[in-house]
Structures are given as structure tokens and as C-alpha cells.
């Protein structure tokens, strides 16, 4: 892990923690396993103010290109569950891939159990969407 721990922005951390509490009773088995692993990783996460966030860290609204060896490469955007749109590659934070990547950084290799089994994915590119403060305030 490039930065030693997950890196999260403070308002996103609060949002994610509240989503985990709500989701623990409503998602399928695979998502539940991912949520539990993510909750464990959050215990050692580094929480930063917005102005201190690193540009190479996957967060809400980040567009991320990932690859699993030479098998596949995909570009997705990590979004709030209400904004998911698979046709436009917008993936909910509450999916196994969204949870797996969140808080990791460019060039990190993430080992995660996905619906198809354990996979290793490498983060090849992270692009941040410019988010207005009104969008961040809607997180809390």
C-alpha cells in the first residue's frame, strides 16, 4: 500500500461510516463480506481534511483505471449508490469493486474477494472530478 493505510477525506469518511451502518442489513452475502473487510481497514485509515487530500487517492467521484494482470483493464467512476449508472461506468461505493478501491492510491495492488473469487487488481490511473462544496456538504 503506497501510503501505508487507506486515505480518506473527513466528510467522505463520515459518509462511508453511515453507509456501512445502513448497508449491513440490506446487501447480499458477497457485498457483506466486502463491507466487513472494508470496516476493518477503516480502523487504521488516515483521515485528512479536504485541503490535505492527495490527488492520487481513490475517493468518491474519482475515475479509476484498474487492471487484473493481462486479463482485463477497466475504467470506472466510484459514486454514491444513488448515482450508480453501469451503462456509463459509474459504480456504487457499496459494490465489491467500489469498496475494494476506495482509499487506495495510484499503483497500489489491491487483493480482494470479488464475486468471481479472489483477485488482484492494480490501480493504473486516478483522476479526480472537481466537486463543488455543495456536493461535499450533501455527504454529511
Amino acid at each position: 500500500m503506497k501510503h501505508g493505510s487507506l486515505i480518506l477525506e473527513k466528510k467522505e469518511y463520515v459518509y462511508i461510516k453511515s453507509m456501512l451502518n445502513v448497508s449491513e442489513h440490506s446487501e447480499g452475502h458477497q457485498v457483506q463480506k466486502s463491507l466487513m473487510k472494508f470496516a476493518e481497514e477503516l480502523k487504521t485509515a488516515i483521515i485528512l481534511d479536504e485541503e490535505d487530500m492527495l490527488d492520487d487517492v481513490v475517493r468518491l467521484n474519482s475515475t479509476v483505471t484498474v487492471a487484473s494482470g493481462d486479463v482485463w483493464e477497466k475504467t470506472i467512476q466510484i459514486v454514491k449508490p444513488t448515482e450508480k449508472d453501469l451503462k456509463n461506468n459509474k459504480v456504487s461505493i457499496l459494490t465489491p469493486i467500489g469498496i475494494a478501491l476506495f482509499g487506495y492510491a495510484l499503483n497500489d495492488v489491491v487483493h480482494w474477494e470479488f464475486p468471481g473469487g479472489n483477485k488482484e487488481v492494480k490501480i493504473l490511473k486516478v483522476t479526480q472530478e472537481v466537486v463543488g462544496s455543495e456536493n461535499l456538504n450533501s455527504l454529511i
Side-chain angles (χ1 to χ4, degrees), residues 32-68:
Q32 280 303 314
K33 286 176 71 175
S34 289
L35 290 173
M36 289 189 312
K37 181 177 178 183
F38 185 62
E40 282 300 309
E41 289 185 332
L42 285 178
K43 291 177 181 177
T44 59
I46 298 169
I47 311 302
L48 299 175
D49 290 325
E50 174 66 33
E51 60 271 9
D52 297 326
M53 275 302 291
L54 307 170
D55 287 338
D56 67 344
V57 173
V58 178
R59 52 191 298 200
L60 282 173
N61 299 309
S62 294
T63 299
V64 187
T65 301
V66 293
S68 181

Side-chain angles (χ1 to χ4, degrees), residues 8-45:
L8 283 83
E9 190 275 332
K10 193 180 296 181
K11 289 179 183 173
E12 291 180 357
Y13 174 76
V14 170
Y15 173 75
I16 295 300
K17 289 288 281 184
S18 70
M19 291 301 298
L20 289 175
N21 290 336
V22 169
S23 298
E24 71 183 27
H25 305 292
S26 62
E27 302 292 337
H29 177 70
Q30 187 62 47
V31 173
Q32 280 303 314
K33 286 176 71 175
S34 289
L35 290 173
M36 289 189 312
K37 181 177 178 183
F38 185 62
E40 282 300 309
E41 289 185 332
L42 285 178
K43 291 177 181 177
T44 59

Side-chain angles (χ1 to χ4, degrees), residues 100-124:
L101 298 175
F102 201 81
Y104 281 87
L106 179 68
N107 294 322
D108 276 346
V109 175
V110 181
H111 302 271
W112 206 264
E113 187 173 337
F114 295 101
N118 289 320
K119 301 269 189 276
E120 179 180 287
V121 294
K122 182 172 183 178
I123 300 173
L124 303 177

Side-chain angles (χ1 to χ4, degrees), residues 11 50 130-140:
K11 289 179 183 173
E50 174 66 33
V130 177
V131 178
S133 60
E134 67 280 353
N135 288 341
L136 280 178
N137 289 335
S138 71
L139 294 178
I140 56 174

